[in-house]
Amino acid sequence: MKLYAPSTIREIRDRFGFRFSKSLGQNFLTDKNIIDQILEGSGITGDDLVIEIGPGIGVITREAAQVAHKVIAIEIDTNLIPILNWTLGDLENVEIVNQDVLKTQLNDLIAKESFPGVVRVVGNLPYYITTPIIMKLLEDQVPAASITVMMQKEVADRLTAKPGTKDFGAISLMVEYFAEAKEIVKVPRTVFVPQPNVDSTVLRLDIRDEKPVKVEDEEFLFKVIKAGFGQRRKTLSNALSVLKGYDKATILRCLEEAGIDPVRRGETLSLEEYARLSDVLRSAI
Ligand code: SAM
């Protein structure tokens, strides 16, 4: 049975009385070529533990299980669990976890496993929570070697944007801090059922062994970055005033010490500048 064939999706719908949930971002892949490109692009080997986010009916899961040591697939929709048991029941190296990935302790889940290789995260992400998922994977420092995921094209553009461009945001800096991003393939909206009204991109994030900037306190750097982007049209000296314990005079003094013009806007600063500013601010009070 070709799981990714539209006729299979129809059969599953009829057999299980399944109804697609728009609010859970359910757009299922129907193109084997794209599935292969995600998996080849992710670099999975037979030694690796794969964490899949949002398996749907299991199209990526099934193919990943053919190459990986083990696949743990995290699916929020309880209605999909009997379907996944039916489509993947013959595979011994697949575990389905019926949970919200945003509430899953991924580090604990991974710590319980033993495998000779590395952890690789894959998935065709639900579009409504792509950014929170990526933020969680990065900020929780999930011990993955790579994250290869499909997302709405515009989100991929934001993740890989450079300072001063319209797509540049806090998430662009978080991605730059933790990973090296590479586009694997662009995906047209026509290869999904039901068809979304956006196109997609598959990105691979290779998690860095060494961060591109060194700071005294990572958590504080993230706070400064988020504050810097909090109010887009405000100058940096105003935007940073949301940081607890910092008055305007201290912020201005720190910006001067870090060599950053206080009338610049947060979205024009590079990661190096945020790192410098974060260290100066941290030691100021
Ligand atoms: N991997 C399948 C495919 O490519 O055909 C399905 C991809 S579909 C775009 C996204 C999947 O993520 C759906 O199965 C949806 O139910 C699931 N999902 C949505 N929100 C989730 C969450 N918070 N945690 C885990 N899975 C979620």
Side-chain angles (χ1 to χ4, degrees), residues 115-248:
F115 51 98
V118 295
V119 176
R120 298 202 184 270
V121 176
V122 300
N124 167 16
L125 295 182
Y127 293 161
Y128 73 109
I129 45 166
T130 298
T131 305
I133 291 174
I134 304 267
M135 282 287 208
K136 177 185 162 71
L137 293 169
L138 298 177
E139 285 194 74
D140 288 1
Q141 312 224 10
V142 171
S146 66
I147 301 169
T148 307
V149 282
M150 174 137 62
M151 63 196 74
Q152 182 178 335
K153 179 194 168 295
E154 288 74 14
V155 177
D157 291 345
R158 281 212 292 282
L159 262 54
T160 53
K162 299 281 171 256
T165 62
K166 76 169 174 23
D167 291 327
F168 190 61
I171 184 90
S172 325
L173 283 174
M174 298 297 281
V175 166
E176 190 188 342
Y177 183 72
F178 284 108
E180 264 178 274
K182 179 171 130 201
E183 182 179 305
I184 301 293
V185 64
K186 288 198 167 66
V187 183
R189 62 193 73 186
T190 49
V191 301
F192 301 91
V193 169
Q195 193 171 304
N197 47 18
V198 291
D199 294 317
S200 296
T201 300
V202 178
L203 278 191
R204 171 170 166 162
L205 308 180
D206 280 291
I207 305 303
R208 297 181 192 275
D209 292 329
E210 247 183 73
K211 309 285 189 288
V213 290
K214 298 261 174 296
V215 285
E216 300 289 332
D217 181 346
E218 276 189 347
E219 293 295 318
F220 189 66
L221 168 67
F222 306 155
K223 274 196 192 135
V224 175
I225 290 175
K226 285 173 192 166
F229 285 90
Q231 293 147 305
R232 277 210 163 227
R233 278 174 299 282
K234 286 202 173 173
T235 60
L236 205 51
S237 57
N238 281 327
L240 293 176
S241 59
V242 298
L243 290 171
K244 276 204 192 79
Y246 289 86
D247 58 28
K248 196 75 188 276

Side-chain angles (χ1 to χ4, degrees), residues 41-54:
S42 74
I44 299 167
T45 75
D47 290 340
D48 297 343
L49 172 68
V50 170
I51 304 289
E52 187 193 359
I53 299 171

